[in-house]
Amino acid sequence: MEVKDKEIIDLKDRYLRSVADFRNLQDRTKRDVQAARDFAIQRFAKDLIESIDNLDRALETVPAASLNLSAATDSSSSSPSTSAPDSSSPASESSTTSSPSPSTSRSAPNKDLVNLYDGLKMTSTILMQTLGKHGLVRFDPSEKENQRFDPNLHEATFQTPVEGREDGTVFHTQQKGFLLNGRVLRAAKVGVVKNA
């Protein structure tokens, strides 16, 4: 009888171990499948990052003065003045009957530039929103004040003294970084403060 009891205990132990092993295998398989889903676009995302960088460079090449100049001339030429002109003043008569000023004639190319810039900006925004839905997120460490250098997220390309900044903080971003579902796809290339 003792032999039978020992055999029953042994079989029960084997059964429980088999069930535990099977559950562990299920959990491991589930994690592997989820990781495969999360990072399936990793190669595609790495290739796409270069295009995103080029789109950012195109947006950065447009001088802000060109955008502001055409916006100012567009708003002054398209919207009526809020105050009524004084009809007795000779300056108001000459301003309403004069030909377009040189700045107005320069706004035609700037209007096209502004339209191009706005289109590129919208494209960039929609692209980043779409990529964000799939887990690809861009980050710029210099946007946060006193962001500490993190070797897991940043790649230091240079160090320099900066007055008024704490050592080991990021003050300049040469190239923005990207995360894919929380994993670093590309570290941000940054300049770090080193005052000592």
Side-chain angles (χ1 to χ4, degrees), residues 103-184:
S103 65
T104 307
S105 62
R106 281 190 293 155
S107 70
N110 283 339
K111 184 173 183 186
D112 292 339
L113 180 66
V114 169
N115 290 339
L116 177 65
Y117 179 85
D118 289 344
L120 287 173
K121 190 73 173 164
M122 282 189 284
T123 302
S124 176
T125 302
I126 291 170
L127 179 62
M128 291 312 301
Q129 287 173 350
T130 303
L131 293 174
K133 290 178 188 175
H134 296 282
L136 185 66
V137 179
R138 177 174 48 189
F139 66 96
D140 184 356
S142 64
E143 287 179 352
K144 292 182 181 176
E145 190 67 29
N146 292 326
Q147 171 80 34
R148 300 288 303 168
F149 175 75
D150 181 357
N152 297 318
L153 297 173
H154 311 137
E155 179 183 336
T157 55
F158 65 95
Q159 294 180 329
T160 189
V162 177
E163 199 172 308
R165 290 280 188 116
E166 189 179 328
D167 279 359
T169 57
V170 174
F171 75 95
H172 175 72
T173 302
Q174 286 182 317
Q175 195 174 48
K176 296 175 183 171
F178 284 87
L179 298 172
L180 180 60
N181 294 315
R183 182 187 294 176
V184 176

Coordinates of all heavy atoms in Angstrom, one line a residue, residues 103-184:
S103 N 7.2 95.8 -50.7 CA 7.1 94.6 -49.8 C 5.9 93.8 -50.2 O 5.9 92.6 -50.0 CB 6.9 95.1 -48.3 OG 5.7 95.8 -48.2
T104 N 4.8 94.4 -50.7 CA 3.7 93.6 -51.2 C 4.0 92.8 -52.4 O 3.6 91.7 -52.5 CB 2.5 94.6 -51.5 OG1 2.3 95.4 -50.4 CG2 1.3 93.8 -51.9
S105 N 4.8 93.4 -53.3 CA 5.2 92.6 -54.5 C 6.2 91.5 -54.1 O 6.2 90.5 -54.8 CB 5.9 93.5 -55.5 OG 7.1 94.1 -55.0
R106 N 6.9 91.7 -53.0 CA 7.8 90.6 -52.6 C 7.0 89.5 -51.9 O 7.5 88.4 -51.7 CB 8.9 91.1 -51.6 CG 10.0 91.8 -52.2 CD 11.1 92.1 -51.3 NE 10.6 93.1 -50.3 CZ 11.1 93.2 -49.1 NH1 12.0 92.4 -48.6 NH2 10.6 94.1 -48.2
S107 N 5.8 89.8 -51.4 CA 5.0 88.8 -50.7 C 4.5 87.6 -51.6 O 4.2 86.6 -51.1 CB 3.9 89.4 -49.9 OG 2.9 89.9 -50.9
A108 N 4.4 87.9 -52.9 CA 3.9 86.8 -53.8 C 4.8 85.6 -53.7 O 4.3 84.5 -53.5 CB 3.8 87.3 -55.2
P109 N 6.1 85.7 -53.9 CA 6.9 84.4 -53.7 C 6.9 83.9 -52.2 O 6.9 82.7 -52.0 CB 8.4 84.9 -54.0 CG 8.3 86.2 -54.7 CD 6.9 86.8 -54.3
N110 N 6.8 84.8 -51.3 CA 6.8 84.4 -49.9 C 5.5 83.7 -49.6 O 5.4 82.8 -48.7 CB 6.9 85.6 -48.9 CG 8.4 86.0 -48.8 OD1 9.3 85.2 -49.1 ND2 8.6 87.2 -48.4
K111 N 4.4 84.1 -50.3 CA 3.1 83.4 -50.0 C 3.3 81.9 -50.5 O 2.8 81.0 -49.8 CB 2.0 84.1 -50.8 CG 0.7 83.4 -50.5 CD -0.5 84.2 -51.1 CE -1.7 83.5 -50.7 NZ -2.9 83.9 -51.3
D112 N 3.9 81.7 -51.6 CA 4.2 80.3 -52.1 C 5.1 79.6 -51.1 O 4.8 78.4 -50.8 CB 4.8 80.3 -53.5 CG 3.9 80.8 -54.5 OD1 2.6 80.8 -54.3 OD2 4.4 81.2 -55.6
L113 N 6.0 80.3 -50.6 CA 6.9 79.7 -49.6 C 6.2 79.4 -48.3 O 6.4 78.3 -47.7 CB 8.1 80.7 -49.2 CG 9.1 80.2 -48.2 CD1 9.9 79.0 -48.8 CD2 10.1 81.3 -47.9
V114 N 5.3 80.2 -47.9 CA 4.5 80.0 -46.7 C 3.6 78.8 -46.9 O 3.5 77.9 -46.1 CB 3.7 81.2 -46.3 CG1 2.6 80.8 -45.2 CG2 4.6 82.3 -45.8
N115 N 3.0 78.7 -48.1 CA 2.1 77.5 -48.4 C 2.9 76.2 -48.4 O 2.4 75.2 -47.9 CB 1.4 77.8 -49.8 CG 0.4 78.9 -49.7 OD1 -0.1 79.2 -48.6 ND2 0.0 79.4 -50.8
L116 N 4.1 76.3 -49.0 CA 5.0 75.1 -49.1 C 5.3 74.7 -47.6 O 5.3 73.5 -47.3 CB 6.2 75.4 -49.9 CG 7.2 74.2 -49.9 CD1 6.7 73.0 -50.6 CD2 8.5 74.7 -50.6
Y117 N 5.7 75.7 -46.8 CA 6.1 75.4 -45.4 C 4.9 74.8 -44.7 O 5.1 73.8 -43.9 CB 6.6 76.7 -44.8 CG 7.0 76.5 -43.3 CD1 8.3 76.1 -43.0 CD2 6.1 76.8 -42.3 CE1 8.6 75.9 -41.7 CE2 6.4 76.6 -41.0 CZ 7.7 76.2 -40.7 OH 8.1 76.0 -39.4
D118 N 3.8 75.4 -44.8 CA 2.6 74.9 -44.1 C 2.3 73.5 -44.6 O 1.9 72.6 -43.7 CB 1.4 75.8 -44.4 CG 1.5 77.1 -43.7 OD1 2.3 77.2 -42.7 OD2 0.7 78.0 -44.0
G119 N 2.4 73.2 -45.8 CA 2.2 71.8 -46.3 C 3.2 70.8 -45.8 O 2.8 69.7 -45.3
L120 N 4.4 71.2 -45.7 CA 5.5 70.3 -45.1 C 5.2 70.1 -43.6 O 5.4 69.0 -43.1 CB 6.9 70.9 -45.3 CG 7.4 70.8 -46.8 CD1 8.7 71.6 -46.8 CD2 7.6 69.4 -47.2
K121 N 4.8 71.2 -43.0 CA 4.5 71.1 -41.5 C 3.4 70.2 -41.3 O 3.4 69.4 -40.3 CB 4.3 72.5 -41.0 CG 4.2 72.6 -39.5 CD 5.6 72.5 -38.9 CE 5.5 72.7 -37.4 NZ 6.7 72.2 -36.8
M122 N 2.3 70.3 -42.0 CA 1.1 69.4 -41.9 C 1.5 68.0 -42.2 O 1.1 67.1 -41.4 CB 0.0 69.8 -42.8 CG -0.8 71.0 -42.3 SD -2.3 71.4 -43.3 CE -1.6 72.1 -44.7
T123 N 2.3 67.7 -43.2 CA 2.8 66.4 -43.5 C 3.6 65.8 -42.4 O 3.4 64.7 -42.0 CB 3.6 66.4 -44.8 OG1 2.8 67.0 -45.9 CG2 4.1 65.0 -45.2
S124 N 4.5 66.6 -41.8 CA 5.3 66.2 -40.7 C 4.4 65.8 -39.5 O 4.6 64.8 -38.9 CB 6.3 67.2 -40.4 OG 7.0 66.9 -39.2
T125 N 3.5 66.6 -39.2 CA 2.6 66.4 -38.1 C 1.8 65.1 -38.2 O 1.7 64.3 -37.3 CB 1.6 67.6 -37.9 OG1 2.4 68.8 -37.7 CG2 0.7 67.4 -36.7
I126 N 1.2 65.0 -39.4 CA 0.4 63.8 -39.7 C 1.2 62.5 -39.6 O 0.8 61.5 -39.1 CB -0.4 63.9 -41.0 CG1 -1.5 65.0 -40.8 CG2 -1.0 62.6 -41.4 CD1 -2.1 65.4 -42.1
L127 N 2.4 62.6 -40.2 CA 3.3 61.5 -40.2 C 3.7 61.0 -38.8 O 3.7 59.9 -38.5 CB 4.6 61.8 -41.0 CG 5.6 60.7 -41.1 CD1 5.1 59.5 -41.8 CD2 6.9 61.2 -41.9
M128 N 4.0 62.0 -38.0 CA 4.4 61.7 -36.6 C 3.2 61.2 -35.8 O 3.4 60.3 -34.9 CB 5.0 62.9 -35.9 CG 6.4 63.3 -36.5 SD 7.6 61.9 -36.7 CE 7.7 61.3 -35.0
Q129 N 2.0 61.7 -36.0 CA 0.8 61.1 -35.4 C 0.6 59.7 -35.8 O 0.3 58.8 -34.9 CB -0.4 62.0 -35.7 CG -0.4 63.3 -35.0 CD -1.5 64.2 -35.5 OE1 -2.2 63.9 -36.5 NE2 -1.7 65.3 -34.8
T130 N 0.7 59.4 -37.1 CA 0.5 58.1 -37.6 C 1.6 57.1 -37.0 O 1.2 56.0 -36.5 CB 0.6 58.0 -39.1 OG1 -0.4 59.0 -39.6 CG2 0.3 56.7 -39.6
L131 N 2.8 57.5 -37.0 CA 3.9 56.7 -36.4 C 3.7 56.5 -34.9 O 4.0 55.4 -34.4 CB 5.3 57.3 -36.7 CG 5.6 57.3 -38.2 CD1 6.9 58.0 -38.4 CD2 5.7 55.9 -38.8
G132 N 3.2 57.5 -34.3 CA 2.9 57.4 -32.8 C 1.9 56.4 -32.5 O 1.9 55.7 -31.5
K133 N 0.9 56.2 -33.4 CA -0.1 55.2 -33.2 C 0.5 53.8 -33.2 O -0.1 52.9 -32.7 CB -1.2 55.3 -34.3 CG -2.1 56.5 -34.2 CD -3.1 56.5 -35.4 CE -3.9 57.8 -35.4 NZ -4.7 57.9 -36.6
H134 N 1.6 53.7 -33.9 CA 2.3 52.4 -34.0 C 3.5 52.3 -33.1 O 4.3 51.3 -33.2 CB 2.7 52.1 -35.5 CG 1.5 52.0 -36.4 ND1 0.7 50.9 -36.5 CD2 1.0 53.0 -37.2 CE1 -0.2 51.1 -37.4 NE2 -0.1 52.4 -37.8
G135 N 3.6 53.2 -32.2 CA 4.6 53.1 -31.2 C 5.9 53.8 -31.4 O 6.8 53.8 -30.6
L136 N 6.1 54.5 -32.6 CA 7.3 55.2 -32.9 C 7.2 56.7 -32.4 O 6.3 57.4 -32.9 CB 7.6 55.2 -34.4 CG 9.0 55.8 -34.8 CD1 10.1 55.0 -34.2 CD2 9.1 55.8 -36.3
V137 N 8.0 57.1 -31.5 CA 7.9 58.4 -30.9 C 9.2 59.1 -31.0 O 10.3 58.5 -30.7 CB 7.5 58.3 -29.4 CG1 7.4 59.7 -28.8 CG2 6.2 57.6 -29.3
R138 N 9.2 60.4 -31.4 CA 10.4 61.2 -31.5 C 10.6 62.0 -30.2 O 9.6 62.5 -29.6 CB 10.3 62.2 -32.7 CG 11.5 63.1 -32.9 CD 11.4 63.9 -34.1 NE 10.1 64.5 -34.3 CZ 9.7 65.1 -35.4 NH1 10.5 65.2 -36.4 NH2 8.5 65.7 -35.5
F139 N 11.8 62.1 -29.8 CA 12.1 62.9 -28.6 C 13.3 63.9 -28.8 O 14.2 63.5 -29.5 CB 12.3 62.1 -27.3 CG 13.5 61.2 -27.3 CD1 14.6 61.6 -26.7 CD2 13.5 60.0 -27.9 CE1 15.8 60.9 -26.7 CE2 14.6 59.2 -27.9 CZ 15.8 59.6 -27.3
D140 N 13.2 65.1 -28.2 CA 14.2 66.1 -28.3 C 14.6 66.4 -26.8 O 13.9 67.1 -26.2 CB 13.7 67.3 -29.0 CG 14.8 68.4 -29.2 OD1 15.9 68.2 -28.7 OD2 14.5 69.3 -29.9
P141 N 15.8 66.0 -26.4 CA 16.2 66.2 -25.0 C 16.4 67.7 -24.6 O 16.2 68.1 -23.5 CB 17.5 65.5 -24.8 CG 17.7 64.7 -26.0 CD 16.7 65.2 -27.1
S142 N 16.7 68.5 -25.6 CA 17.0 69.9 -25.3 C 15.7 70.7 -25.1 O 15.7 71.9 -24.6 CB 17.8 70.6 -26.4 OG 17.1 70.6 -27.6
E143 N 14.5 70.1 -25.3 CA 13.3 70.8 -25.1 C 12.9 70.9 -23.6 O 12.3 71.9 -23.2 CB 12.1 70.1 -25.8 CG 12.1 70.3 -27.3 CD 11.0 69.6 -28.0 OE1 10.3 68.8 -27.4 OE2 10.8 69.8 -29.2
K144 N 13.4 70.0 -22.8 CA 13.2 70.0 -21.4 C 14.3 70.8 -20.8 O 15.5 70.7 -21.1 CB 13.2 68.6 -20.8 CG 12.0 67.8 -21.2 CD 12.1 66.4 -20.5 CE 10.9 65.6 -20.9 NZ 11.1 64.2 -20.3
E145 N 14.0 71.7 -19.8 CA 15.0 72.5 -19.1 C 15.7 71.6 -18.1 O 15.1 70.8 -17.4 CB 14.3 73.6 -18.4 CG 15.2 74.7 -17.8 CD 15.9 75.5 -18.8 OE1 15.4 75.7 -19.9 OE2 17.0 75.9 -18.5
N146 N 17.1 71.7 -18.2 CA 17.9 71.0 -17.3 C 17.8 69.5 -17.4 O 17.8 68.7 -16.4 CB 17.8 71.4 -15.8 CG 18.3 72.8 -15.6 OD1 19.2 73.3 -16.2 ND2 17.6 73.5 -14.7
Q147 N 17.6 69.0 -18.6 CA 17.5 67.5 -18.9 C 18.9 66.9 -18.6 O 19.9 67.3 -19.2 CB 17.1 67.3 -20.3 CG 17.2 65.9 -20.8 CD 16.0 65.0 -20.3 OE1 14.9 65.5 -20.2 NE2 16.2 63.8 -20.0
R148 N 19.0 66.0 -17.7 CA 20.2 65.3 -17.4 C 20.6 64.3 -18.6 O 19.8 63.7 -19.2 CB 20.1 64.5 -16.1 CG 19.8 65.2 -14.9 CD 20.8 66.1 -14.4 NE 22.1 65.4 -14.1 CZ 23.2 66.0 -13.8 NH1 23.3 67.3 -13.8 NH2 24.3 65.2 -13.6
F149 N 21.9 64.2 -18.8 CA 22.4 63.3 -19.8 C 22.1 61.9 -19.4 O 22.5 61.5 -18.3 CB 23.9 63.5 -20.1 CG 24.5 62.5 -21.0 CD1 24.3 62.6 -22.4 CD2 25.3 61.5 -20.5 CE1 24.8 61.7 -23.2 CE2 25.8 60.6 -21.4 CZ 25.6 60.7 -22.8
D150 N 21.5 61.1 -20.2 CA 21.2 59.7 -19.9 C 21.8 58.9 -21.1 O 21.4 58.9 -22.2 CB 19.7 59.5 -19.9 CG 19.3 58.0 -19.6 OD1 20.2 57.2 -19.4 OD2 18.1 57.8 -19.4
P151 N 22.9 58.1 -20.7 CA 23.5 57.3 -21.8 C 22.6 56.3 -22.5 O 22.9 55.8 -23.5 CB 24.7 56.6 -21.1 CG 24.4 56.7 -19.6 CD 23.5 57.9 -19.4
N152 N 21.5 55.9 -21.8 CA 20.6 55.0 -22.4 C 19.7 55.6 -23.5 O 19.2 55.0 -24.4 CB 19.6 54.4 -21.4 CG 20.4 53.6 -20.3 OD1 21.3 52.8 -20.7 ND2 20.1 53.8 -19.1
L153 N 19.6 57.0 -23.4 CA 18.8 57.7 -24.4 C 19.5 58.6 -25.3 O 19.1 59.0 -26.4 CB 17.7 58.5 -23.7 CG 16.7 57.8 -22.8 CD1 15.8 58.8 -22.1 CD2 15.8 56.9 -23.7
H154 N 20.7 59.1 -24.8 CA 21.5 60.1 -25.5 C 22.9 59.6 -25.9 O 23.4 58.8 -25.3 CB 21.7 61.3 -24.6 CG 20.4 61.8 -24.0 ND1 20.3 62.2 -22.6 CD2 19.1 62.0 -24.5 CE1 19.1 62.5 -22.3 NE2 18.3 62.4 -23.4
E155 N 23.4 60.2 -27.0 CA 24.7 60.0 -27.4 C 25.4 61.4 -27.4 O 25.0 62.2 -28.2 CB 24.8 59.4 -28.8 CG 26.1 59.2 -29.4 CD 26.1 58.7 -30.8 OE1 25.1 58.1 -31.2 OE2 27.1 58.9 -31.5
A156 N 26.4 61.5 -26.5 CA 27.1 62.8 -26.4 C 28.1 62.9 -27.5 O 29.0 62.1 -27.7 CB 27.8 62.9 -25.0
T157 N 27.9 64.0 -28.3 CA 28.8 64.2 -29.4 C 29.9 65.2 -29.1 O 31.0 65.2 -29.7 CB 28.1 64.7 -30.7 OG1 27.3 65.8 -30.4 CG2 27.2 63.5 -31.2
F158 N 29.6 66.1 -28.1 CA 30.6 67.1 -27.6 C 30.2 67.6 -26.3 O 29.1 67.4 -25.8 CB 30.7 68.2 -28.6 CG 29.5 69.1 -28.8 CD1 29.4 70.2 -28.0 CD2 28.5 68.8 -29.6 CE1 28.3 71.1 -28.1 CE2 27.4 69.6 -29.8 CZ 27.3 70.7 -29.0
Q159 N 31.2 68.1 -25.6 CA 31.0 68.7 -24.3 C 31.6 70.1 -24.3 O 32.7 70.3 -24.9 CB 31.7 67.9 -23.2 CG 31.1 66.5 -22.9 CD 31.8 65.8 -21.8 OE1 33.0 66.0 -21.6 NE2 31.0 64.9 -21.1
T160 N 31.0 71.1 -23.7 CA 31.5 72.4 -23.7 C 30.9 73.1 -22.4 O 29.9 72.8 -21.9 CB 31.0 73.2 -24.9 OG1 31.7 74.4 -25.0 CG2 29.5 73.4 -25.0
P161 N 31.7 74.2 -22.0 CA 31.2 74.9 -20.8 C 30.0 75.9 -21.3 O 30.1 76.5 -22.3 CB 32.4 75.7 -20.4 CG 33.4 75.6 -21.4 CD 33.0 74.5 -22.3
V162 N 29.0 75.9 -20.4 CA 27.9 76.8 -20.7 C 27.6 77.5 -19.4 O 27.3 76.8 -18.4 CB 26.6 76.0 -21.2 CG1 25.5 77.0 -21.4 CG2 27.0 75.3 -22.5
E163 N 27.7 78.8 -19.4 CA 27.4 79.6 -18.2 C 26.0 79.5 -17.7 O 25.1 79.5 -18.6 CB 27.8 81.0 -18.4 CG 28.0 81.8 -17.1 CD 28.6 83.2 -17.4 OE1 29.6 83.3 -18.2 OE2 28.0 84.2 -17.0
G164 N 25.7 79.3 -16.5 CA 24.4 79.2 -15.9 C 23.7 77.8 -16.1 O 22.6 77.7 -15.7
R165 N 24.4 76.9 -16.5 CA 23.9 75.5 -16.7 C 24.7 74.5 -15.8 O 25.9 74.7 -15.6 CB 24.0 75.0 -18.1 CG 23.1 75.7 -19.1 CD 21.7 75.1 -19.0 NE 20.8 75.6 -20.0 CZ 20.3 74.8 -21.0 NH1 20.5 73.6 -21.0 NH2 19.5 75.4 -21.9
E166 N 24.0 73.5 -15.3 CA 24.6 72.5 -14.4 C 25.4 71.5 -15.3 O 25.0 71.1 -16.4 CB 23.5 71.8 -13.7 CG 24.0 70.9 -12.6 CD 22.8 70.3 -11.8 OE1 21.7 71.0 -11.7 OE2 22.9 69.2 -11.4
D167 N 26.5 71.0 -14.7 CA 27.3 70.0 -15.4 C 26.4 68.7 -15.7 O 25.6 68.4 -14.9 CB 28.5 69.5 -14.6 CG 29.7 70.5 -14.7 OD1 29.5 71.5 -15.5 OD2 30.7 70.3 -14.1
G168 N 26.6 68.1 -16.8 CA 25.9 66.9 -17.1 C 24.5 67.1 -17.7 O 23.8 66.1 -17.8
T169 N 24.2 68.3 -18.0 CA 22.8 68.5 -18.6 C 23.0 68.7 -20.1 O 24.0 69.2 -20.6 CB 22.2 69.8 -18.0 OG1 23.0 70.9 -18.2 CG2 21.9 69.6 -16.5
V170 N 21.9 68.4 -20.8 CA 21.9 68.5 -22.2 C 21.5 70.0 -22.6 O 20.5 70.5 -22.0 CB 20.8 67.6 -22.8 CG1 20.7 67.8 -24.3 CG2 21.3 66.1 -22.6
F171 N 22.2 70.6 -23.5 CA 21.9 72.0 -23.9 C 21.6 72.1 -25.4 O 21.1 73.1 -25.8 CB 22.9 73.0 -23.4 CG 24.2 72.9 -24.2 CD1 24.4 73.8 -25.3 CD2 25.2 72.0 -24.0 CE1 25.5 73.8 -26.1 CE2 26.3 72.0 -24.7 CZ 26.5 72.9 -25.8
H172 N 22.0 71.1 -26.2 CA 21.9 71.2 -27.6 C 21.6 69.9 -28.2 O 22.2 68.9 -27.8 CB 23.2 71.8 -28.2 CG 23.1 71.8 -29.7 ND1 22.4 72.7 -30.4 CD2 23.8 71.0 -30.6 CE1 22.6 72.5 -31.7 NE2 23.4 71.5 -31.9
T173 N 20.7 69.8 -29.1 CA 20.3 68.5 -29.8 C 20.8 68.6 -31.3 O 20.3 69.5 -32.0 CB 18.8 68.2 -29.7 OG1 18.5 68.1 -28.4 CG2 18.5 66.9 -30.4
Q174 N 21.7 67.8 -31.6 CA 22.1 67.8 -33.1 C 21.2 66.9 -33.9 O 20.9 67.2 -35.0 CB 23.5 67.2 -33.2 CG 24.6 68.1 -32.7 CD 26.0 67.5 -32.9 OE1 26.2 66.3 -32.6 NE2 26.9 68.3 -33.5
Q175 N 20.7 65.8 -33.3 CA 19.8 64.9 -34.0 C 18.8 64.3 -33.0 O 19.3 63.8 -31.9 CB 20.6 63.8 -34.7 CG 19.9 63.0 -35.7 CD 20.8 62.0 -36.4 OE1 21.6 61.3 -35.7 NE2 20.8 62.0 -37.7
K176 N 17.6 64.4 -33.3 CA 16.5 63.9 -32.3 C 16.6 62.4 -32.3 O 17.0 61.7 -33.2 CB 15.2 64.4 -32.8 CG 15.0 65.9 -32.7 CD 13.7 66.4 -33.2 CE 13.7 67.9 -33.2 NZ 12.5 68.4 -33.9
G177 N 16.1 61.9 -31.1 CA 16.1 60.5 -30.9 C 14.7 59.9 -31.2 O 13.7 60.6 -31.3
F178 N 14.6 58.6 -31.3 CA 13.4 57.9 -31.5 C 13.3 56.7 -30.6 O 14.2 56.0 -30.4 CB 13.3 57.4 -33.0 CG 13.0 58.5 -33.9 CD1 14.0 59.3 -34.5 CD2 11.7 58.8 -34.3 CE1 13.8 60.3 -35.4 CE2 11.4 59.9 -35.2 CZ 12.5 60.6 -35.7
L179 N 12.0 56.5 -30.1 CA 11.7 55.3 -29.3 C 10.7 54.5 -30.0 O 9.7 55.1 -30.6 CB 11.1 55.7 -27.9 CG 12.0 56.5 -27.0 CD1 11.2 57.0 -25.8 CD2 13.2 55.7 -26.5
L180 N 10.8 53.2 -30.0 CA 9.8 52.3 -30.6 C 9.3 51.4 -29.5 O 10.0 50.6 -28.9 CB 10.4 51.4 -31.7 CG 9.5 50.4 -32.4 CD1 8.3 51.2 -33.1 CD2 10.2 49.6 -33.4
N181 N 8.0 51.7 -29.1 CA 7.4 51.0 -28.0 C 8.3 51.0 -26.7 O 8.4 50.0 -26.0 CB 7.0 49.6 -28.4 CG 5.9 49.6 -29.4 OD1 5.0 50.3 -29.4 ND2 6.1 48.8 -30.5
G182 N 8.8 52.2 -26.4 CA 9.6 52.3 -25.2 C 11.1 51.9 -25.3 O 11.9 52.1 -24.4
R183 N 11.5 51.3 -26.4 CA 12.8 50.8 -26.7 C 13.5 51.9 -27.6 O 12.9 52.3 -28.5 CB 12.8 49.5 -27.4 CG 14.2 48.9 -27.6 CD 14.2 47.7 -28.5 NE 13.5 46.6 -27.8 CZ 13.3 45.4 -28.3 NH1 13.7 45.2 -29.6 NH2 12.7 44.4 -27.7
V184 N 14.8 52.2 -27.2 CA 15.5 53.2 -28.0 C 15.8 52.6 -29.4 O 16.5 51.6 -29.5 CB 16.8 53.6 -27.3 CG1 17.6 54.6 -28.2 CG2 16.5 54.2 -26.0

